[in-house]
Amino acid sequence: MADRIKILLISNYQSGVGGISGQVTELYNHLTEDGASVCVFTTKASMLMRLCLFFRLLLVSHQYDILHIHGCSYRGMLPIVYGVICGKCWRKRIIITYHGGEAAEYFAKHIHFVRKWLMKADERIVLSDFLKNIFDRYQIPCVVIPNIVSFASLNAKRMVVNPPIRFISVRHLRDLYNIPCILCAFEKVHRSVPNSTLQILGQGPLRSSLEQWVRKHGLTQNVVFVGQVPNTEISHYLSQSDVMLSAPHIDNMPVSVLEAMNAGVLVISSRVGGVPYIIDENRTGLFFADDNSDELAEKMIWAIEHSNDVQQLIDAAQIEVQKYKWDNIREKIYNVYGICLQ
């Protein structure tokens, strides 16, 4: 039973943010509600502190039955390496959940290192068939268990029939997420729909240059940089939006897309990585080619002009996203933990 186990969640965890940290928070909350004893151990620290963190993890981990490690490519391998060593030392059950859309490139370059550590786990979880295909290519066994979406608020909202229309972006302001593509597309749309607006949630090294671009193109009245928003508040911004724009060059299973689908917001995304595994094109959302701002703008205009069709996409997306709620994922998690639920 869940109330008899002790689980240590290990990751480069940062409270109040999305991505891996957001999923660790979701898992912590649900496991705790089930009666399990759960703790989160973060390996996020400066280079000087990481060695100290390893010895601290070694001391802490012996108290737990299961070490559930959340990692990804490049620096995201650190919690996997630390967690596996500690788990082997104390003979604990080791579970690894591998996140991120950069696995194909990373595995191709470092497959011997990756296999060495992933194969030491008792079970390996990936979030989508996109990642499973990469694991299969290198004969690394894994099970697919998708991200968890919080269903605190499910909105049956309708699109605005006439302009203005409210666009939103919920990604970090880094090269990977290609916010310039979104801005270029929005500028094109703004010429036809002057009262349309764009809210950009997130923080990152590109913020200053992006704000400068907006000023240069006279869009300061229509584009708002909100900055970093706590994960618990994102639903508030989604509830005030009509269309979410997502333009990453690489991605796996973005929770922001699932949250938008859940909130009754149309998603228009670049057709990359694992995103086509969660959006059924022209049924639950829309796609455009990577870095093609012209095609993105066309899809945005289409959404403005076809509100009834858009509502059908939204309705289908809200049904589709139900499979990501905890009730449909719970048993799969406990199976990899080696626990039979009664």
Side-chain angles (χ1 to χ4, degrees):
M1 291 294 293
D3 57 3
R4 297 175 185 170
I5 60 170
K6 295 182 178 181
I7 303 166
L8 184 63
L9 304 177
I10 305 169
S11 75
N12 289 332
Y13 180 78
Q14 185 177 353
S15 178
V17 302
I20 296 177
S21 295
Q23 282 303 293
V24 169
T25 298
E26 288 283 349
L27 190 56
Y28 173 88
N29 290 339
H30 289 297
L31 292 173
T32 301
E33 288 171 3
D34 279 358
S37 175
V38 189
C39 185
V40 177
F41 187 98
T42 180
T43 50
K44 187 176 181 63
S46 66
M47 292 296 293
L48 293 175
M49 288 297 296
R50 285 178 182 171
L51 187 59
C52 296
L53 275 176
F54 169 74
F55 289 108
R56 183 177 166 219
L57 177 59
L58 188 61
L59 291 173
V60 167
S61 57
H62 80 93
Q63 305 172 40
Y64 295 86
D65 305 305
I66 297 169
L67 306 188
H68 188 168
I69 310 162
H70 292 256
C72 60
S73 305
Y74 300 101
R75 294 182 181 179
M77 281 294 293
L78 179 69
I80 293 175
V81 173
Y82 278 12
V84 164
I85 293 174
C86 293
K88 289 298 182 182
C89 285
W90 299 117
R91 298 182 180 179
K92 303 298 182 179
R93 185 165 179 83
I94 303 169
I95 311 298
I96 295 174
T97 295
Y98 203 92
H99 299 252
E102 298 177 296
E105 174 188 298
Y106 185 67
F107 280 29
K109 292 179 180 178
H110 307 287
I111 187 56
H112 296 298
F113 175 79
V114 170
R115 280 185 58 86
K116 173 183 177 180
W117 295 103
L118 292 185
M119 293 300 290
K120 291 179 184 296
D122 295 286
E123 296 281 356
R124 289 150 295 275
I125 298 171
V126 294
L127 305 175
S128 69
D129 286 328
F130 166 68
L131 274 184
K132 185 179 186 305
N133 291 339
I134 297 171
F135 272 59
D136 289 347
R137 189 184 310 160
Y138 293 100
Q139 298 180 321
I140 302 174
C142 65
V143 58
V144 177
I145 303 179
N147 277 327
I148 307 165
V149 178
S150 174
F151 279 71
S153 60
L154 184 62
N155 305 311
K157 59 188 286 186
R158 291 196 65 84
M159 287 281 295
V160 178
V161 176
N162 297 308
I165 193 167
R166 302 161 297 181
F167 297 100
I168 188 170
S169 167
V170 189
R171 306 309 294 259
H172 294 299
L173 310 187
R174 297 167 45 201
D175 289 330
L176 174 64
Y177 298 111
N178 202 11
I179 305 302
C181 178
I182 291 175
L183 288 174
C184 288
F186 179 77
E187 182 194 23
K188 297 177 177 71
V189 172
H190 178 257
R191 297 171 194 163
S192 302
V193 190
N195 291 327
S196 57
T197 61
L198 170 62
Q199 283 191 317
I200 299 178
L201 276 60
Q203 191 61 275
L206 298 183
R207 176 162 180 172
S208 178
S209 61
L210 294 172
E211 288 178 324
Q212 184 178 358
W213 190 97
V214 167
R215 288 192 296 269
K216 178 181 177 182
H217 290 81
L219 296 173
T220 54
Q221 298 300 312
N222 300 82
V223 178
V224 177
F225 287 86
V226 179
Q228 188 66 44
V229 174
N231 220 37
T232 54
E233 296 180 17
I234 289 177
S235 61
H236 166 72
Y237 289 91
L238 288 172
S239 69
Q240 298 179 343
S241 305
D242 303 303
V243 178
M244 192 186 87
L245 309 174
S246 182
H249 296 301
I250 300 172
D251 220 331
N252 177 30
M253 191 181 196
V255 173
S256 58
V257 166
L258 297 174
E259 289 174 335
M261 293 167 67
N262 173 53
V265 176
L266 174 67
V267 177
I268 306 178
S269 172
S270 51
R271 191 186 293 102
V272 297
V275 184
Y277 289 86
I278 60 177
I279 293 178
D280 187 355
E281 187 168 18
N282 298 323
R283 189 181 73 85
T284 60
L286 300 176
F287 284 122
F288 64 96
D290 179 27
D291 204 28
N292 190 329
S293 62
D294 289 332
E295 186 180 3
L296 173 55
E298 290 173 5
K299 297 297 175 71
M300 293 162 69
I301 292 292
W302 182 91
I304 294 172
E305 296 177 346
H306 296 82
S307 60
N308 289 333
D309 292 328
V310 165
Q311 186 59 42
Q312 293 180 26
L313 297 175
I314 288 173
D315 291 344
Q318 288 190 310
I319 294 171
E320 179 71 15
V321 81
Q322 295 288 327
K323 69 183 182 183
Y324 299 101
K325 65 182 181 180
W326 174 246
D327 288 348
N328 293 326
I329 292 175
R330 181 172 180 262
E331 186 174 356
K332 297 176 183 178
I333 288 288
Y334 284 113
N335 281 342
V336 298
Y337 285 172
I339 298 168
C340 180
L341 294 177
Q342 296 180 354

